[in-house]
Amino acid sequence: MEPDSQNTRLIKRAYWLIRLRWVATVCAGGGTWFCGNVLAIELQSFALYGIASLLALYNAVMLLLLNHFAKANTQTSSSPVKKIINFQVSADLLILTVLLHFSGGIENPFVFYFMFHMIIASILLSERESYLQATFAVLVFGFMVLFEYLQIIPHYCLRGFVTHCLYRDGLYALGTFIVFTTAMYLAVYMASYIATRLKQAEQAYKDANTL
């Protein structure tokens, strides 16, 4: 019964991640409208609305896929569900990077929303997988900052929010990237440490009850 119990718990957490993404989809669309129409910040609204729509479609596909495995959760291992969660976290990081690119890049204070995914990964995935996700976050964010700095891809300045574009300020870009990198790994370290201790305490409690 124990494997089934763990698998059911993992599926519930995967559904929780999907529910969070519905909230993120609404916030992405609503935030774009609010910032553009109320705060009069210059945004690439068409691209941002498109990404929000893509996020909703992708979440619906993930929901259908998870429903498939949830129906057979007693006949299958937790491995497929873990793969779905790993894929979702990686895709979320990539989509968040694209959203940031079209909304100011390194100038956007929402850049540290990456940390939420590090905490989620540490709760749902193994420590090794969590550090891999942190490395992926650092890479995709770093390439965005570097490519915008080198003008390989265009930078969309947040006019109406910042007084001047900062993406070409090498010291600012490097400093922000270093802080971002250390924050990602520290978030994984602390969240994984707490999650591991909680799992150990839970297992000790179960072992004590079986005696």
Side-chain angles (χ1 to χ4, degrees):
M1 293 299 294
E2 184 62 23
D4 292 345
S5 174
Q6 290 177 351
N7 196 34
T8 300
R9 192 159 52 220
L10 187 62
I11 289 173
K12 287 180 179 179
R13 290 172 179 174
Y15 277 118
W16 171 69
L17 184 57
I18 286 178
R19 288 194 296 270
L20 288 179
R21 195 174 295 108
W22 287 128
V23 175
T25 302
V26 173
C27 289
T32 299
W33 180 88
F34 182 81
C35 291
N37 294 276
V38 178
L39 300 182
I41 297 174
E42 187 175 312
L43 294 173
Q44 302 298 312
S45 297
F46 181 78
L48 294 176
Y49 285 131
I51 295 168
S53 301
L54 179 63
L55 183 60
L57 178 61
Y58 143 68
N59 203 37
V61 172
M62 289 297 102
L63 178 59
L64 292 174
L65 190 59
L66 187 58
N67 284 339
H68 169 73
F69 287 109
K71 289 178 181 178
N73 76 85
T74 56
Q75 287 81 34
T76 184
S77 69
S78 62
S79 180
V81 180
K82 276 198 170 185
K83 288 179 180 178
I84 292 174
I85 294 174
N86 254 308
F87 174 80
Q88 287 185 83
V89 174
S90 296
D92 287 347
L93 292 172
L94 189 59
I95 291 172
L96 179 55
T97 304
V98 176
L99 276 170
L100 286 173
H101 167 62
F102 284 106
S103 58
I106 200 169
E107 300 163 359
N108 193 325
F110 285 103
V111 63
F112 288 101
Y113 271 35
F114 277 90
M115 192 174 296
F116 294 141
H117 287 85
M118 298 303 98
I119 296 172
I120 290 171
S122 300
I123 294 172
L124 302 182
L125 304 173
S126 69
E127 187 173 354
R128 175 180 173 274
E129 290 169 328
S130 300
Y131 277 111
L132 287 174
Q133 292 291 354
T135 301
F136 182 67
V138 169
L139 287 175
V140 293
F141 176 73
F143 278 123
M144 181 198 72
V145 172
L146 179 63
F147 288 168
E148 288 189 2
Y149 178 79
L150 297 176
Q151 297 181 307
I152 295 175
I153 57 177
H155 173 77
Y156 302 101
C157 190
L158 283 179
R159 293 183 175 86
F161 181 75
V162 295
T163 55
H164 62 281
C165 296
L166 300 169
Y167 76 105
R168 292 283 290 171
D169 187 328
L171 183 60
Y172 173 81
L174 179 61
T176 302
F177 177 71
I178 291 174
V179 173
F180 176 88
T181 301
T182 55
M184 295 303 102
Y185 286 113
L186 282 172
V188 169
Y189 171 75
M190 290 186 289
S192 294
Y193 179 85
I194 295 171
T196 300
R197 293 301 177 273
L198 289 174
K199 289 174 184 177
Q200 290 174 347
E202 181 184 14
Q203 187 59 46
Y205 176 78
K206 288 180 179 178
D207 292 341
N209 284 340
T210 58
L211 296 177

